[in-house]
Amino acid sequence: VSLDQEKGLEMRKWVLSGILASEETYLSHLEALLIPMKPLRAAATTSQPMLTIQQIETIFFKVPELHEIHKDFYDALLPRVQNWSHQQCVGDLFQKLASQLGVYRAFVDNYKVAVETADKCCQANAQFAEISENLMVRSTKDCKDQSAKYSLETLLYKPVDRVTRSTLVLHDLLKHTPSSHPDYPLLQDALRISQNFLSSINEEITPRRQSMTVKKGENRQLLRDRFMVELVEGSRKLRHVFLFTDLLLCTKLKKQAAGKGQQYDCKWYIPLADLTFQTIEDCESSPVPLVQDEEIDALKIKISQIKNDIQREKRTTKGPKVIERLRKKLSEQESLLLLMSPNMAFRVANRNGKGFTFLISSDYERAEWREIIREQQKKCFKSFSLTSLELQMLTNSCVKLQTVHTIPMTMNKEDDESPGLYGFLNVIVHSASGLKQSLNLYCSLEVDAFGYFVNKAKTRVYRDSTEPNWNEEFEIELEGSQTLRLLCYEKCCGKVKQSKEDGEVTDKIVAKGQIKLDPQTLQSKDWQRTVIAMNGIEVKLSMKFTGREFSLKRMPSRKQSGVFGVKINVVTKRERSKVPLIVRQCVEEIERRGMDEVGIYRVSGVATDIQALKAAFDSNNKDVALMMREMDVNAIAGTLKLYFRELPEPLFTDELYPNFAGGIALSDSVAKESCMVNLLLSLPEPNLLTFLFLLDHLKRVAENESINKMSLHNIATVFGPTLLRPSEKDSKLSSSSQPISMNDCWSLEVMAQVQVLLYFLQLERIPTPDSKRQSLLFSTEV
């Protein structure tokens, strides 16, 4: 016998010991039901019967038979386990037990009537009500004198529960029985009988029902489960969704009393045979209420702050109370973020056309759910409906079956789990191969942050090719990320529109795959080439990771000529301009043809184009305007951002940066405005004029938000760190006495930078006190 088989055989004994203990408990429950039967029967023939013989027969129907079957089984199994050897056989006992399942069929058939009858009798007879609330179950542990009280209804449910679990026991036992063991075929037979019985029992409960829940011989299995946000009458609710082989079940986790196990409430279910994915025409009535990015960022700030506090508390010794309180606060904020962040609709409807809307943050996940449901629908059976008992049994089983036990939040991670990567990931999407036909293909990239996935970048559409060559580079900010996902879409422009699912015209997902971001591999400074293979298509990528501590440095240029990495006052003096030429030319080109570009400034431009433009500006190439006309407008936006990012000192200057960060935190709005405006006006002249010129442009971009999807907040998120991030590594904000973790401190600092820019973007007008400034601002030379 191999070592694995040896272990398996050892496990068999443990499994069987568990079965014995559970049988003993179950017998004690059945005995507790039998105890009152005798005196009730005896009283039934007297002049003052508590119940009639008919009622007793109905309430305790088949209980004596069930007791006898299990007593025989227990008595036969016990000596075999006590005289254990690896050759010991028990399969015949399980086979016999399975062959007697017919008694359960009769019991389950009668169960509803039994409970109703008991209920009526309790209302009619106080004495019986008293008895049925206080049935004594002896303790199965060695001290036989202890006992616990159970109600009649609880005990009557035990056989129903038992029969739904009968296959689980056999699965466990089979798992640890080598296929060469004489028990193996017997246990398989017992499992087959049990499974057939379980799938037919659904019809037996209500014989009138024509349809079957599951084909004979198939057991209902859980395919996947997830926490999701459901949109209910405009408000967001957290749900735990279970997809079984024949139905989709939406549940809510019940509030827990202390010490009680988890419990689920069923909100609704749809048999897969009746499930359809809703199209936008069906549900114009329910647009997704979007949560403002500001709110989401405010939550991220809070979460980062609480995490900082927890880290700080761990280093002091104030005791676990404080940390516990902070963890509770963290849990509340993270639950809120989980509710607020997703805004991509995933809509399903039942046979009557009643629709249900989930919100998901990632198209990858939405596609996965659709695929697995459609795949299952091919095998699926007729429609059916569940009785309340079946639904109750199914919902109860979710506690045991669930695969996702905790809400996906960072606080549920163990301390030793990888916190993920913080910094910037440069990804080049090279090419795809393996396409069967020419397509218009583009890719989008998603990474996880704060426990959920978000779309971070999108390549251009490569037209009519089986070998698309994008060679586009993207810089993606990572906030505790562990996985990069890639989706390939077929652009459905010229053709008939795919389908109007979920409110947008959906391009078709051709392939999708993901790759773990391994800190070990990415630590080296070089590009790492990799291939993501997915249903026959391969996409080649290169990745390079820069940790935050390096990505934050501003590197002054060594050469005095050129514009990148050179102080802004040097450039304006050399050019004899108020605002650097590069800023004016990029802004003009973007205003000419980029104002309606979706995600302008947010979507990365192609890295090679940006580097070419950078070189052209640095060498003062006269053809730069011509080059720009030919280029993708996102590359021009990228060049402008790169210029500000590579300034040796931020536009808002190192000296004034701490004051801006302090000013934005003021709570009195009048004091805040006075402080912020005076700070702004004390910037050196080239900095101020360049900022005001850029500010006007960015406000115009946001005026087209309905088309380009760039709100003031989105713009502030992109440009805030670019314009404000201090040049030295140790910024003024983090020099508090306690070193806090780089990641959270960084998040807070970035948030402050975003807030400062957002403040100026939202300010109606910037008052300019003295006339000299006035003339400067409106000087035509700008």
Side-chain angles (χ1 to χ4, degrees):
V1 181
S2 73
L3 193 64
D4 280 352
Q5 284 184 322
E6 186 74 40
K7 273 190 190 151
L9 290 164
E10 197 49 47
M11 276 300 295
R12 250 168 77 83
K13 184 181 177 184
W14 287 109
V15 172
L16 285 166
S17 306
I19 291 171
L20 270 175
S22 136
E23 279 292 315
E24 198 178 340
T25 307
Y26 182 45
L27 280 170
S28 67
H29 290 146
L30 292 174
E31 280 160 16
L33 281 171
L34 290 175
I35 293 165
M37 259 185 83
K38 280 185 189 153
L40 284 170
R41 270 220 174 97
T45 55
T46 65
S47 54
Q48 286 181 311
M50 213 182 291
L51 308 181
T52 66
I53 290 286
Q54 177 66 48
Q55 287 168 328
I56 297 167
E57 290 294 334
T58 306
I59 295 171
F60 299 97
F61 185 68
K62 294 292 176 195
V63 174
E65 289 85 338
L66 288 176
H67 181 262
E68 193 180 339
I69 290 169
H70 283 271
K71 183 90 175 81
D72 290 349
F73 173 73
Y74 177 82
D75 289 346
L77 184 61
L78 182 65
R80 294 195 198 182
V81 177
Q82 284 171 338
N83 306 315
W84 184 252
S85 77
H86 289 341
Q87 281 68 48
Q88 182 66 276
C89 290
V90 292
D92 56 317
L93 300 180
F94 285 91
Q95 205 181 20
K96 182 181 172 191
L97 189 63
S99 71
Q100 295 168 307
L101 281 169
V103 180
Y104 275 97
R105 174 170 296 173
F107 179 88
V108 170
D109 257 353
N110 179 71
Y111 171 79
K112 206 172 167 189
V113 189
V115 174
E116 283 166 5
T117 309
D119 206 27
K120 280 183 196 145
C121 294
C122 286
Q123 286 166 10
N125 188 309
Q127 208 181 345
F128 178 65
E130 171 70 20
I131 292 171
S132 70
E133 275 309 303
N134 300 296
L135 293 173
M136 303 307 268
V137 175
R138 66 175 172 80
S139 163
T140 53
K141 299 287 165 271
D142 299 332
C143 42
K144 295 282 185 209
D145 53 352
Q146 280 196 330
S147 53
K149 282 182 190 171
Y150 281 81
S151 74
L152 177 63
E153 191 174 343
T154 308
L155 290 177
L156 283 175
Y157 185 69
K158 296 289 180 190
V160 178
D161 189 41
R162 187 82 183 170
V163 73
T164 54
R165 294 226 305 273
S166 60
T167 56
L168 299 176
V169 169
L170 288 161
H171 272 296
D172 286 347
L173 201 48
L174 262 169
K175 200 159 65 183
H176 302 297
T177 303
S179 51
S180 55
H181 196 286
D183 261 356
Y184 197 82
L186 300 177
L187 291 172
Q188 268 193 319
D189 191 44
L191 180 60
R192 186 185 51 75
I193 298 170
S194 298
Q195 285 181 333
N196 283 348
F197 173 73
L198 262 192
S199 38
S200 67
I201 197 172
N202 295 322
E203 315 176 84
E204 298 302 321
I205 293 178
T206 47
R208 289 180 305 288
R209 186 150 39 88
Q210 290 313 300
S211 62
M212 279 174 45
T213 314
V214 192
K215 267 191 202 156
K216 280 218 177 353
E218 284 194 26
N219 202 357
R220 174 177 293 139
Q221 286 167 341
L222 179 66
L223 296 174
R224 70 181 323 179
D225 61 304
R226 280 278 183 287
F227 282 98
M228 276 198 213
V229 176
E230 189 189 6
L231 198 56
V232 184
E233 291 166 1
S235 60
R236 294 162 176 254
K237 307 280 187 195
L238 190 62
R239 301 286 191 239
H240 199 152
V241 183
F242 293 85
L243 175 62
F244 288 91
T245 34
D246 61 335
L247 65 91
L248 184 71
L249 173 70
C250 175
T251 69
K252 171 188 165 207
L253 203 52
K254 277 189 190 169
K255 285 257 189 298
Q256 293 306 277
K260 280 264 179 78
Q262 273 191 332
Q263 272 186 314
Y264 287 103
D265 261 346
C266 167
K267 299 310 284 181
W268 50 264
Y269 74 93
I270 307 176
L272 294 191
D274 298 341
L275 185 145
T276 52
F277 296 110
Q278 270 196 315
T279 62
I280 187 61
E281 281 83 18
D282 304 333
C283 48
E284 303 264 81
S285 53
S286 57
V288 175
L290 294 183
V291 177
Q292 290 303 308
D293 291 345
E294 286 89 316
E295 285 183 62
I296 289 185
D297 273 5
L299 276 174
K300 287 184 179 177
I301 293 177
K302 273 191 196 152
I303 289 169
S304 299
Q305 274 168 337
I306 298 169
K307 284 184 181 170
N308 273 342
D309 296 345
I310 291 175
Q311 290 309 321
R312 198 174 289 133
E313 287 304 329
K314 279 184 178 169
R315 283 192 289 273
T316 65
T317 46
K318 285 190 189 159
K321 280 254 170 71
V322 187
I323 293 184
E324 208 32 64
R325 209 169 51 241
L326 286 168
R327 278 185 173 284
K328 198 172 166 209
K329 238 162 83 178
L330 181 61
S331 165
E332 285 163 10
Q333 296 302 319
E334 289 209 314
S335 301
L336 213 55
L337 181 63
L338 190 76
L339 269 185
M340 312 255 270
S341 50
N343 53 21
M344 194 177 279
F346 169 51
R347 296 187 163 102
V348 294
N350 65 15
R351 186 173 34 182
N352 311 326
K354 177 163 172 44
F356 302 93
T357 301
F358 292 113
L359 298 178
I360 290 184
S361 54
S362 138
D363 205 8
Y364 193 98
E365 212 137 292
R366 177 168 68 176
E368 268 188 330
W369 277 88
R370 281 201 191 126
E371 275 166 31
I372 193 168
I373 289 174
R374 286 190 176 126
E375 204 42 52
Q376 200 51 31
Q377 283 179 325
K378 291 178 190 164
K379 314 173 196 164
C380 214
F381 334 106
K382 301 194 206 83
S383 170
F384 57 87
S385 60
L386 298 177
T387 63
S388 53
L389 168 67
E390 289 171 301
L391 199 51
Q392 185 58 50
M393 278 157 59
L394 182 63
T395 312
N396 288 349
S397 74
C398 290
V399 179
K400 294 190 201 76
L401 294 171
Q402 62 183 10
T403 59
V404 182
H405 295 277
T406 50
I407 296 172
M409 300 192 294
T410 51
M411 69 158 296
N412 287 327
K413 283 190 181 160
E414 298 305 318
D415 284 347
D416 54 2
E417 266 186 72
S418 153
L421 293 167
Y422 287 83
F424 290 92
L425 182 70
N426 285 65
V427 180
I428 302 175
V429 181
H430 294 293
S431 59
S433 56
L435 288 167
K436 298 281 182 283
Q437 67 205 76
S438 285
L439 295 176
N440 298 330
L441 206 65
Y442 68 92
C443 296
S444 86
L445 300 168
E446 293 183 351
V447 294
D448 53 317
F450 285 87
Y452 61 94
F453 277 85
V454 255
N455 185 358
K456 287 286 193 176
K458 197 155 93 178
T459 68
R460 64 182 187 277
V461 179
Y462 203 93
R463 303 212 171 270
D464 290 327
S465 171
T466 54
E467 299 270 322
N469 262 311
W470 295 283
N471 292 319
E472 290 183 49
E473 182 182 338
F474 303 98
E475 184 179 73
I476 295 173
E477 188 189 332
L478 303 182
E479 300 178 279
S481 310
Q482 293 175 311
T483 307
L484 171 73
R485 288 172 165 179
L486 181 89
L487 295 105
C488 295
Y489 292 88
E490 178 189 357
K491 186 80 186 152
C492 297
C493 29
K495 304 181 188 163
V496 182
K497 295 291 187 211
Q498 179 62 18
S499 68
K500 291 221 184 81
E501 275 169 11
D502 309 314
E504 66 269 9
V505 176
T506 51
D507 292 331
K508 183 176 167 197
I509 294 181
V510 180
K512 59 186 196 335
Q514 52 187 9
I515 184 167
K516 279 266 169 272
L517 296 174
D518 173 30
Q520 264 26 68
T521 351
L522 290 169
Q523 270 336 327
S524 84
K525 300 285 167 283
D526 304 324
W527 286 95
Q528 305 290 323
R529 286 192 79 106
T530 182
V531 173
I532 296 187
M534 38 202 179
N535 29 332
I537 296 171
E538 290 192 338
V539 177
K540 293 193 174 68
L541 303 177
S542 294
M543 296 191 293
K544 185 170 75 171
F545 172 67
T546 316
R548 279 192 174 159
E549 56 283 17
F550 299 108
S551 62
L552 298 189
K553 285 186 173 169
R554 287 181 182 269
M555 306 301 283
S557 168
R558 290 204 177 80
K559 54 184 192 308
Q560 277 315 293
S561 64
V563 292
F564 281 82
V566 178
K567 286 183 175 171
I568 194 166
N569 59 341
V570 172
V571 172
T572 49
K573 204 167 176 181
R574 188 194 316 137
E575 293 177 354
R576 298 206 177 100
S577 61
K578 296 276 197 292
V579 172
L581 193 66
I582 179 172
V583 177
R584 295 207 304 262
Q585 283 187 296
C586 288
V587 163
E588 275 165 28
E589 192 59 29
I590 287 165
E591 296 213 348
R592 191 172 72 80
R593 62 190 175 94
M595 301 300 262
D596 291 351
E597 182 75 19
V598 174
I600 185 73
Y601 288 122
R602 197 189 62 226
V603 172
S604 301
V606 180
T608 42
D609 288 354
I610 294 173
Q611 290 308 320
L613 266 182
K614 177 182 174 178
F617 276 113
D618 268 344
S619 61
N620 195 13
N621 187 328
K622 297 287 174 273
D623 299 331
V624 74
L626 211 64
M627 276 175 72
M628 284 164 81
R629 301 222 151 197
E630 302 298 308
M631 260 179 200
D632 174 42
V633 72
N634 288 315
I636 295 158
T639 307
L640 182 61
K641 286 191 299 185
L642 187 68
Y643 168 71
F644 285 116
R645 197 158 81 208
E646 291 198 353
L647 282 175
E649 180 180 57
L651 199 59
F652 279 56
T653 73
D654 284 330
E655 188 191 345
L656 292 178
Y657 173 68
N659 304 2
F660 278 110
I664 198 69
L666 295 172
S667 43
D668 176 43
S669 61
V670 180
K672 185 194 273 190
E673 181 168 337
S674 157
C675 169
M676 295 295 277
V677 170
N678 283 319
L679 278 170
L680 187 68
L681 295 177
S682 47
L683 283 175
E685 198 171 280
N687 300 50
L688 174 67
L689 294 179
T690 302
F691 176 65
L692 293 174
F693 177 76
L694 180 68
L695 191 70
D696 281 344
H697 163 65
L698 295 177
K699 285 180 173 178
R700 283 193 292 277
V701 171
E703 282 167 12
N704 284 14
E705 182 193 351
S706 60
I707 305 168
N708 62 30
K709 304 287 184 262
M710 292 300 286
S711 62
L712 288 176
H713 184 273
N714 283 346
I715 291 169
T717 306
V718 172
F719 270 98
T722 307
L723 301 178
L724 281 116
R725 195 185 65 243
S727 50
E728 72 279 346
K729 186 179 155 201
D730 314 312
S731 78
K732 308 283 188 290
L733 269 193
S734 60
S735 55
S736 59
S737 55
Q738 285 286 357
I740 53 179
S741 86
M742 180 72 194
N743 302 334
D744 295 323
C745 156
W746 193 84
S747 302
L748 293 174
E749 207 165 320
V750 168
M751 304 288 187
Q753 294 156 7
V754 170
Q755 297 302 318
V756 171
L757 179 54
L758 186 59
Y759 183 79
F760 289 120
L761 282 166
Q762 288 173 337
L763 212 56
E764 281 298 308
R765 53 182 208 79
I766 291 173
T768 39
D770 66 18
S771 52
K772 178 169 173 286
R773 280 274 153 81
Q774 202 70 22
S775 66
L776 275 175
L777 289 181
F778 298 102
S779 140
T780 49
E781 289 173 60
V782 174

